[in-house]
Amino acid sequence: MATVADVTVHEGHWIGGERISSPADFDDVSPIDGQVIARVARGGAEEAAAAVSAAERAFPAWSRTTREERARLLHAIADGVEKRLERLAIVETTDNGALLRSHLRGVMPRVAHNFRFFADWLLRLGRDDFETRGHRNHVSWDPAGVCALITPWNAPLMLATWKIAPALAAGNTVVLKPAEWSPLTASLLADITAEAGLPDGVFNVVQGYGEEVGAPLVADPRVRRISFTGSVPTARHIAAAAAPNLTPLSLELGGKSPLIVFADADLDLAVDLAVEQYDNAGQVCLAGTRLLVQEEISAEFTERFLARAAALRQGDPRDLATDIGPQIHAEHFARIDGFVRRAVEAGATPLIGGGPNTDLGGLYYRPTLFTGVAADSEIVNEEVFGPVLTLQTFRTEEQAVEMANSTEFGLAATLVTGSPESAGRVAARLVAGTVWVNCFFVRDLRAPFGGARQSGMGREGGDWSFDFYCDVKNTVFAPGGWNG
Ligand code: NAD
């Protein structure tokens, strides 16, 4: 057990309702100050198999519980999250360096909401029966079995519960593999599910490195669904591992989203939205990291943007006044710096930032904006996943659409415009799972979420989640007596 910011956290796996250790551990390091905050169990094939076995054993009874019972338990988990909101927030911040302010005000309340939303949606789930020549077609959403859920470190509990809640609501059992750079809140969630009364084995957590414990988990033929959020290269490994078993996959991957500012836009709003792209130190899949600005306003936009960006307060994420915290890990920090150095070598000009924050040291990277970037350059086309934006200008709407759609990604796009007609025309032509017009990051669990192109496969949210996590079945009753 570790004590992190005065909160006790189990460092073991959670399998079949028991804490299990492994022969080896790994150091969990806080990005805030480089301190080792926990020594977490380093799982492998054995632990992955044990967790799937536990989930498989728990499945028959759990899948037969009534919808009302499952909904009740999900609400009880949400109650547990709300009860521990501050503790979850401070542990997450200590573990992954994201702002405590965001965890307290936005993220952890949304974690509870994830459970409540899918509990309530479950109770409404169902489409009306329909008739074919007197026969009755009855559609049902049958639980699929054991679900392997693999999640990243940038919003650990938020993204995990967005999968766990619908998977459990659907009557499945779950094995969660959280990211090794932020493993702790998954462990706290295990305590919460136990306290809520979730039967043993319905929810399991295996800890460790992706290649060691994640890979055997997703290759296990007993797993009926794999839901993954993370990077494109890992998705390729997972898809290859899933292929022999034809395990259905949901993939939520990276992005290189455009934020398009038209000349008739409200410039204050445009600047606000652009600066918001540094949130979570730029470690947001949906971030609009490519600022595409119409030529005639680009000078004024840039001036105002630079003034706003310069006023951002960088520092300890536990300080509620901080705007930008550290990057997650030294390895990731070096990766970001590599992108920035290569961009400079390729001729790009940093208008702000362009390197580590040497005043703060550690893993603090200065918010950076590049101009003079070539359309085919790495910095314009590859996901940096750090506080690094590029600025390009366009002349016409046609050109804006062409530039917006020019990468291999298609996760999201943001338009800032004064013209509803132009918004409609442009939004219709963008390749993206989500388009925001004069807003950013407005998310509703009723809406489909996912990416086009290399940004993902499938959609989650509302019915889309249940369609993925269930074997949707049509039963046809012959006429005569049974057709209600
Ligand atoms: P990553 O792909 O390195 O790791 C994600 C998870 O996969 C981790 O838990 C890791 O341990 C596991 N993993 C690694 N190799 C594996 C393997 N062979 N088999 C099974 N599991 C394996 O991603 P990351 O660095 O943690 O996260 C950042 C990426 O996630 C970025 O590309 C970001 O855009 C993306 N992301 C996407 C969304 C979305 O909703 N589309 C949300 C957040 C983050």
Side-chain angles (χ1 to χ4, degrees):
M1 301 244 267
T3 304
V4 179
D6 293 331
V7 181
T8 302
V9 189
H10 288 274
E11 295 157 301
H13 313 284
W14 174 249
I15 299 176
E18 283 178 46
R19 290 286 168 186
I20 309 280
S21 57
S22 282
D25 298 325
F26 66 94
D27 286 346
D28 181 26
V29 176
S30 173
I32 301 174
D33 53 12
Q35 296 292 312
V36 175
I37 51 174
R39 293 191 52 77
V40 179
R42 182 172 168 178
E46 205 176 300
E47 290 83 352
V52 175
S53 297
E56 203 183 28
R57 277 196 302 276
F59 177 70
W62 177 247
S63 63
R64 284 196 296 267
T65 51
T66 61
R67 288 185 178 195
E68 286 73 15
E69 173 63 0
R70 295 203 295 275
R72 187 189 67 74
L73 279 164
L74 291 191
H75 277 296
I77 296 171
D79 293 342
V81 169
E82 281 164 358
K83 202 169 97 187
R84 291 175 178 78
L85 205 115
E86 283 81 16
R87 277 175 273 174
L88 289 165
I90 187 65
V91 169
E92 195 87 294
T93 290
T94 311
D95 204 11
N96 88 335
L99 298 185
L100 181 60
R101 187 177 73 198
S102 311
H103 285 150
L104 286 171
R105 294 181 195 161
V107 176
M108 293 307 163
R110 277 178 67 189
V111 166
H113 177 66
N114 284 344
F115 286 103
R116 297 203 191 285
F117 172 86
F118 284 106
D120 294 344
W121 198 267
L122 170 70
L123 297 180
R124 296 208 314 264
L125 185 69
R127 289 161 199 163
D128 290 340
D129 288 5
F130 54 94
E131 210 179 283
T132 312
R133 297 188 305 277
H135 299 63
R136 179 163 65 95
N137 291 265
H138 172 71
V139 178
S140 58
W141 278 261
D142 296 353
V146 178
C147 299
L149 311 180
I150 314 270
T151 50
W153 45 262
N154 63 321
L157 199 58
M158 227 301 291
L159 294 169
T161 53
W162 195 10
K163 300 178 188 301
I164 296 164
L168 294 180
N172 299 307
T173 54
V174 162
V175 180
L176 170 70
K177 208 303 272 175
E180 53 269 39
W181 288 349
S182 58
L184 299 185
T185 47
S187 187
L188 293 177
L189 182 66
D191 298 335
I192 293 170
T193 60
E195 190 186 278
L198 201 68
D200 292 348
V202 170
F203 175 64
N204 305 274
V205 180
V206 288
Q207 301 281 14
Y209 295 114
E211 315 79 64
E212 294 178 0
V213 69
L217 174 63
V218 294
D220 193 313
R222 297 172 297 168
V223 166
R224 301 295 182 190
R225 292 291 185 277
I226 300 168
S227 181
F228 170 72
T229 300
S231 65
V232 172
T234 305
R236 292 204 178 97
H237 287 295
I238 290 178
N245 307 318
L246 294 178
T247 314
L249 273 176
S250 165
L251 302 175
E252 303 284 1
L253 310 179
K256 191 75 182 175
S257 301
L259 188 156
I260 311 171
V261 184
F262 287 95
D264 60 0
D266 171 342
L267 219 51
D268 288 332
L269 173 68
V271 169
D272 281 349
L273 295 177
V275 171
E276 207 179 320
Q277 309 309 315
Y278 290 132
D279 271 8
N280 206 8
Q283 300 166 147
V284 176
C285 57
L286 295 161
T289 49
R290 291 185 296 137
L291 309 182
L292 309 179
V293 181
Q294 202 152 18
E295 219 165 66
E296 50 267 50
I297 55 155
S298 82
E300 193 184 347
F301 172 88
T302 307
E303 193 186 316
R304 290 211 218 171
F305 176 90
L306 294 177
R308 281 288 314 281
L312 290 172
R313 277 170 297 207
Q314 192 162 25
D316 191 319
R318 293 167 296 194
D319 181 341
L320 298 182
T322 296
D323 297 312
I324 300 189
Q327 308 307 139
I328 178 77
H329 192 274
E331 214 175 279
H332 189 59
F333 186 86
R335 186 175 172 274
I336 293 168
D337 199 42
F339 274 112
V340 168
R341 281 167 195 274
R342 290 191 296 278
V344 172
E345 280 161 22
T349 311
L351 294 179
I352 46 160
N357 185 328
T358 46
D359 298 338
L360 294 173
L363 299 181
Y364 294 88
Y365 207 89
R366 286 197 189 282
T368 297
L369 176 68
F370 276 117
T371 187
V373 289
D376 61 352
S377 61
E378 181 189 65
I379 200 70
V380 169
N381 290 281
E382 299 294 324
E383 183 186 46
V384 177
F385 217 52
V388 180
L389 310 180
T390 57
L391 177 73
Q392 294 166 281
T393 59
F394 65 87
R395 275 190 296 282
T396 63
E397 188 179 292
E398 185 64 30
Q399 215 181 355
V401 170
E402 199 177 299
M403 290 166 81
N405 288 341
S406 65
T407 76
E408 280 304 306
F409 294 102
L411 192 55
T414 301
L415 305 181
V416 198
T417 170
S419 155
E421 295 77 25
S422 156
R425 276 195 310 271
V426 174
R429 293 180 62 195
L430 291 174
V431 180
T434 302
V435 178
W436 284 291
V437 180
N438 293 335
C439 58
F440 177 65
F441 221 86
V442 179
R443 290 270 308 111
D444 188 317
L445 289 174
R446 290 170 295 184
F449 179 84
R453 294 184 178 161
Q454 305 262 306
S455 288
M457 195 185 282
R459 294 292 180 271
E460 295 194 24
D463 276 353
W464 289 273
S465 290
F466 285 98
D467 285 349
F468 173 71
Y469 286 111
C470 294
D471 288 326
V472 183
K473 181 199 283 170
N474 188 35
T475 305
V476 184
F477 293 92
W482 297 346
N483 61 349

